[in-house]
Amino acid sequence: MQRSKLRGLAIISIAIFIGGIVFIALGIGVLNKATHVSGTAAQDYLNNKTSSSSGIKSTIKSTIANTVIDAFTPYIQTLTHVTKGLMASIGAFFCLVGVGICVLGTGLFRTKYLAWILTIVLMFVAIIIDVVGLGFVGGSLPSSSEKGIMSVKLANALIGILIAHLFANAFIIYYLTRKTTASIFRT
């Protein structure tokens, strides 16, 4: 009986550890994207949009547009630097959370009481985040006549992932709070 409890606990611990690795990979990906954000990308995009037409009217429009773009260049560059800093901060945060989750999975595998408590608390927090995420993704679905924030395929995929994550977290809480499993951590 005790072996089957430890086997289930090992599976949960490994799943949590893999989740931590996913967070680390996500953080590295965001950090990588942050290094590739260019201060002139927005300016180049706007210049290409205004210089594609021909004719006198379009030349006047592109001259006015270029003047406006040149006037806003310092603001665009500042916004780019702020965006780059935010992306780097988010990436670093994801990496730190991933390392913490890996440590938590290892502690759970070693049947540490503190890891058990933290896992239960974090699973409740994750359930709340999943519910909020479902509300956000469901609210961003486009209606039949409007264009939404994201495509319907992406929204449906996110909804599926959030529901699966919600059920997985609920199962982990259920499994860890059963008397027989909880007694392993209290010894």
Side-chain angles (χ1 to χ4, degrees), residues 23-47:
F23 261 92
I24 292 170
L26 184 64
I28 290 171
V30 171
L31 285 171
N32 187 28
K33 287 291 183 187
T35 61
H36 290 54
V37 172
S38 170
T40 60
Q43 192 172 0
D44 293 342
Y45 171 77
L46 293 173
N47 282 333

Side-chain angles (χ1 to χ4, degrees), residues 107-127:
L108 203 59
F109 185 76
R110 294 182 177 176
T111 63
K112 301 293 183 186
Y113 183 70
L114 181 62
W116 178 73
I117 291 172
L118 287 175
T119 302
I120 291 172
V121 169
L122 290 177
M123 291 302 129
F124 275 115
V125 170
I127 286 174

Side-chain angles (χ1 to χ4, degrees), residues 99-168:
V99 169
I101 290 173
C102 286
V103 169
L104 187 67
T106 304
L108 203 59
F109 185 76
R110 294 182 177 176
T111 63
K112 301 293 183 186
Y113 183 70
L114 181 62
W116 178 73
I117 291 172
L118 287 175
T119 302
I120 291 172
V121 169
L122 290 177
M123 291 302 129
F124 275 115
V125 170
I127 286 174
I128 292 169
I129 291 171
D130 289 339
V131 170
V132 170
L134 282 170
F136 174 76
V137 173
S140 68
L141 277 173
S143 65
S144 60
S145 63
E146 297 177 359
K147 185 175 182 181
I149 295 173
M150 62 183 76
S151 70
V152 175
K153 288 182 180 180
L154 177 62
N156 288 335
L158 286 174
I159 288 172
I161 290 169
L162 287 171
I163 289 173
H165 192 252
L166 188 130
F167 282 123

Side-chain angles (χ1 to χ4, degrees), residues 20-103:
I21 291 173
V22 168
F23 261 92
I24 292 170
L26 184 64
I28 290 171
V30 171
L31 285 171
N32 187 28
K33 287 291 183 187
T35 61
H36 290 54
V37 172
S38 170
T40 60
Q43 192 172 0
D44 293 342
Y45 171 77
L46 293 173
N47 282 333
N48 287 338
K49 285 288 254 188
T50 59
S51 64
S52 61
S53 302
S54 62
I56 294 174
K57 226 177 185 181
S58 65
T59 305
I60 293 171
K61 283 183 182 178
S62 78
T63 304
I64 292 170
N66 286 335
T67 305
V68 170
I69 291 169
D70 290 341
F72 285 113
T73 296
Y75 300 111
I76 292 172
Q77 289 175 346
T78 302
L79 183 62
T80 303
H81 290 297
V82 168
T83 302
K84 205 173 194 178
L86 271 172
M87 287 177 68
S89 298
I90 290 170
F93 177 74
F94 281 164
C95 286
L96 287 174
V97 168
V99 169
I101 290 173
C102 286
V103 169

